[in-house]
Amino acid sequence: MNSSVLLRLMVMLVQLWPCSPSTQNSSAQNTAQSFTPARRVKRGWLWEPLFATEEQISPEPVYIGQVKSDLDKEDGNLEYILAGEGAGSFFDIDKYTGKIYVKQKLDREKKPFYILTAKAINRSTQLPVEPDSEFIIKVRDINDNEPQFLDGPYVATVPEMSPDGTSVTQVTATDADDPSYGNGARLLYSLVEGQPYFSVEPKTGVIRMASEMDRETKDQYLVIIQAKDMVGQPGAFSATATVTINLSDINDNPPEFQQRLYYMSVSEEAPVGTTVGKVFAEDRDIGDNAAMDYFIEADSPDVFNIITNEETQEGIILLKKRVDYESKRRYSIQVKAVNRHIDERFLKEGPFEDTTIVKINVEDADEPPVFTLDNYVMEIVEGAMRGALVGAVTARDPDDDESPVRYSIVHSSDLKRLFSINEHSGAIIATELLDRERASWHNLTVTATETRNPEKISEANVYVQVLDVNDNAPEFPKNYETFVCENAVSGQLIQTISAVDQDDSAEGHHFYFSLAQEDSNSSHFTVKDHQDNTAGIFTGKSGFSRQEQFFFYLPILIQDNGTPPLTSTNTLTVTVCDCDTEVYTFYCRYGAFMYSLGLSTEGLVAALACIIIFLVFLLAIVAIRQQQQQKKPPFSEKMEDFRENIVSYDDEGGGEQDTEAFDISALRTRTVMRTHKPRKKVASEIQSLYRQSLQVGPDSAIFRQFISEKLEEANMDPSVPPYDSLQTYAFEGTGSLAGSLSSLGSNTSDMDQSYDYLADWGPHFKQLAGMYSSHRTVGD
């Protein structure tokens, strides 16, 4: 390795940068300066740091520096070539000397530096004598950009009356120049317009209040702020921004009435709630700060009221009570307006309220008559004579002319029938007898009409109370059913009675009970007054006989405590029952009913027995006819008609014509669906009991047992024919020539049995004999 190569390696390791401000500032001017003061050695290259200033370029290129190889002998044997950013367009190089020139204007804000490469070649061989050297050309800034307010226009709001120094807002301007070089980007703020109300901080752009301002005087200000670069030095660029500053309202003004005296009027006919007029207190504030409430001072007449219209902030005066021109024609009230929201900071300046006087005149109007009372209460004794005075109403015309009035009753026709009114005097009289027990109060509506102006009508309510007199005697509250057993003992309680009275007693009703003096049964029963509006009926002897007397009629004397007292006689019916100690009400009531029909117990039993026998007979006939229908005998249509109307036969025992017993068509219906309960076979029992009944009287125990069992069976079994008419038949007794009509005793069928004996029963069984005997004819 030769000495030249070692030297180049040493140059590459050691780089010297002898830079000074004087060198940097004069590089553009000393174009022919030697490289000795500011030489840099790099790989054999000798060159200075290169700077280009952005400025207007002259027609000729501007020299900014030189690059040179240490092998250059300045004999023209080397050629320099420039490559990289801006080479050939912005920058040129002298290929013989290595001097670099700027050909066009540079803009640091678009590109602050350029990276280029210098090459050195031998002209003869066209081979590089130095390695390529890369270097940077920096663009030095000049103040060629104006400040800009990018966030404008500005709008700010600050409360009115804010103290000095209150911050309003901040404005900020920007400058595209290099803030690290020179003063091109150093801005200074100032106030162009807005004095003496506002100020601005020079370095920060903060706008502040310079004095207290009243929104009511001026609510908006336009402030112009200027930003100047170069710290405001001559030749600096500047820009302005407009700031709109609004003053927000605070409650610093009280309400004030523009009128100290208002005149209004209201008609005496105006109803309550009528708007009389409006007042208005002006408040220079706005929004909630201007909201106010109106009041009527306490010492003003309590006839009017005032409310606030929330939209217009007006005070609306309303009529609180009816006014009367004849009573008072003029009113004077004091109205006060008070701020609803008060700022305590300004209370020292005075109260936030104001007052005014309102004078109100009452206008006369033709008014309807006026009753002395809205409601009248009158009394009249019930039973008073027709034409009796009930009371009187009075009305007058309140106007100055005092027109006469006419009275009338306007209500239902019933009230007009009960009452009438004198149209001139207003006297109300009763036209009918009044009964308190029917209606204790009557409500009337009375009208008064002006005779000169019939359209003016007024009404009043009249309540008439009918006063009670003792005109109703006491009486039993119900019909008592009283029973006594035949073997009752003396002193036994059989009934407790009470009384009612339709009259009204102020101290309460009190009744007195006793037997009438003319009572013929006084030895049988006694009455004991319990002194609590009840009395007890007791037996006066032991033992009673139904055979001797079935009913006892006791005249009970009842007296009230009215003035004068009234007495009534009420009859208590006592029924003697067939019992020992306990009364069976149903049987006793039933026995009394039969007794009233003239039947004895024996007769009742006989009637029941006959009814049962007759029902059995009908059932037998129905069974026979069903068997015949199954065998389809060749009967003619005429014979079928007779069979269908078997219930129409006239038999003195109730028989064929007794269609009240039950509907035989229901027995013929084969499609009746019923749920049959299990029943014991009683055919032989019925036959035996029936035959025994023909040999014994109605009082036989066997007969009673039979009837009781059949009744119970009929009540418990829904599938048997109805027995609800048993009581309508009487017992014929024994010894009938016909004997038994029942088929229960026959062991033969209908086809084998002979019915010839029916012809011997008499004319009443003629038709039956014709239907079933073997001697019947076709004509039958």
Side-chain angles (χ1 to χ4, degrees), residues 7-17 39-47 68-70 116 130-136:
L7 180 60
R8 291 183 178 181
L9 289 177
M10 292 177 65
V11 171
M12 294 175 61
L13 294 175
V14 180
Q15 296 181 359
L16 299 176
W17 289 89
R39 178 175 295 181
R40 179 185 178 191
V41 180
K42 183 179 181 182
R43 293 183 180 178
W45 285 94
L46 300 176
W47 53 278
K68 188 176 182 180
S69 174
D70 58 352
L116 296 99
E130 296 285 357
D132 293 349
S133 177
E134 185 178 86
F135 61 95
I136 295 175

Side-chain angles (χ1 to χ4, degrees), residues 120-196:
I121 62 174
N122 188 287
R123 288 178 178 271
S124 301
T125 64
Q126 294 296 317
L127 295 176
V129 295
E130 296 285 357
D132 293 349
S133 177
E134 185 178 86
F135 61 95
I136 295 175
I137 299 178
K138 292 184 178 180
V139 182
R140 285 179 174 173
D141 183 47
I142 64 172
N143 188 23
D144 60 345
N145 289 279
E146 298 178 353
Q148 293 183 353
F149 290 94
L150 301 179
D151 298 330
Y154 296 89
V155 178
T157 302
V158 62
E160 64 171 329
M161 307 304 293
S162 296
D164 296 350
T166 301
S167 175
V168 178
T169 187
Q170 182 179 15
V171 295
T172 303
T174 59
D175 196 316
D177 294 324
D178 188 2
S180 62
Y181 180 80
N183 296 322
R186 297 179 63 186
L187 305 179
L188 192 67
Y189 299 94
S190 61
L191 195 65
V192 177
E193 185 175 337
Q195 300 89 352

Side-chain angles (χ1 to χ4, degrees), residues 40 61 80 106 340 352 419 439 448 530 612 632 681 705-706:
R40 179 185 178 191
Y80 296 98
L106 302 178
R340 189 175 301 169
F352 278 70
F419 302 94
H530 295 157
I612 293 175
K632 298 182 180 179
K681 296 181 180 180
Q705 180 182 0
F706 174 79

Side-chain angles (χ1 to χ4, degrees), residues 77-91:
N77 191 34
L78 297 181
E79 181 180 353
Y80 296 98
I81 301 173
L82 188 65
E85 296 178 341
S89 57
F90 288 98
F91 305 100

